[in-house]
Amino acid sequence: MTENERQITGVLLAAGGGRRLGGHPKALLTHRGRPLVEHAVGVLCAAGCTRVHVVLGAAAGAVRERAELGGCVLVENPEWADGMGSSLRAGLDSLAGTQARAALVSLVDQPGIGAVAVRRVLAAYEDENSLASATYDGVRGHPVLLGAAHWAGIAATATGDRGARAYLKEHHGAITLVECGDVAEPYDIDTPEDLAHLE
């Protein structure tokens, strides 16, 4: 384990209720025979995240029962229905008191983003002031790397479904952009039509 890997914790946002999917929690969608949340954790681990915090919300009890998430820190966000911002805040809050100096944040509903892309973003880490984002043909997306020096500012502006967007827009000059369009596809599983992306 490199020093960098010790200092970065993966934060997987997996709390969504799948409102546009007819209320099927995204974490429990089946991908390659297992819950999607398991696949997403596997990607983070394969990329080099030795610690992963998983933020659960909708059907958290069922996710705990059905998904094998041993070794992960499970964080329940009771305010998950308020949007991704509350889950990002819960994930960052869960890192308080750990040795993490950066969070690598990914979303459970983007199975087209694999370990190669995540590893590229991880490699942009320098210290707790780091900010990095995957881009796809120049458009910013996930995963994002958020150094600990930014967590308070991000938590203060993460509302609704915006997550870190407002903070990153304000600090765009400080973000290391990491092109991943050649190795990953950033589609979301949001609608019934998107389910075709699952295997």
Side-chain angles (χ1 to χ4, degrees):
M1 191 193 317
T2 67
E3 187 59 29
N4 273 11
E5 287 170 351
R6 264 197 292 276
Q7 295 177 342
I8 303 169
T9 296
V11 175
L12 177 64
L13 304 185
R19 191 168 32 89
R20 285 180 284 172
L21 286 168
H24 297 292
K26 293 183 178 184
L28 288 174
L29 294 172
T30 301
H31 183 58
R32 297 177 184 168
R34 299 298 305 160
L36 189 55
V37 66
E38 264 183 46
H39 170 79
V41 166
V43 167
L44 289 174
C45 293
C49 288
T50 52
R51 290 177 309 193
V52 177
H53 288 214
V54 181
V55 182
L56 302 177
V63 176
R64 285 175 184 271
E65 276 173 36
R66 290 189 221 163
E68 291 175 21
L69 300 172
C72 297
V73 174
L74 303 184
V75 181
E76 287 209 30
N77 172 22
E79 297 168 3
W80 64 268
D82 293 345
M84 187 168 65
S86 68
S87 290
L88 178 59
R89 288 197 307 273
L92 294 178
D93 285 349
S94 75
L95 300 178
T98 70
Q99 294 176 327
R101 297 183 67 200
L104 189 288
V105 180
S106 68
L107 307 180
V108 76
D109 67 345
Q110 294 191 316
I113 299 174
V116 176
V118 177
R119 204 173 293 125
R120 282 187 188 176
V121 178
L122 281 173
Y125 171 77
E126 291 177 5
D127 57 33
E128 60 196 24
N129 294 301
S130 296
L131 280 178
S133 172
T135 62
Y136 299 90
D137 299 325
V139 179
R140 262 196 313 107
H142 283 85
V144 292
L145 180 90
L146 308 173
H150 302 281
W151 293 349
I154 291 166
T157 57
T159 55
D161 271 324
R162 284 198 326 200
R165 194 179 308 158
Y167 186 89
L168 293 176
K169 194 172 176 186
E170 205 176 298
H171 296 80
H172 64 95
I175 303 171
T176 299
L177 300 177
V178 182
E179 180 56 48
C180 295
D182 59 321
V183 294
E185 293 183 74
Y187 55 79
D188 300 308
I189 307 294
D190 276 337
T191 66
E193 290 72 33
D194 297 332
L195 294 173
H197 287 298
L198 297 175
E199 294 170 18

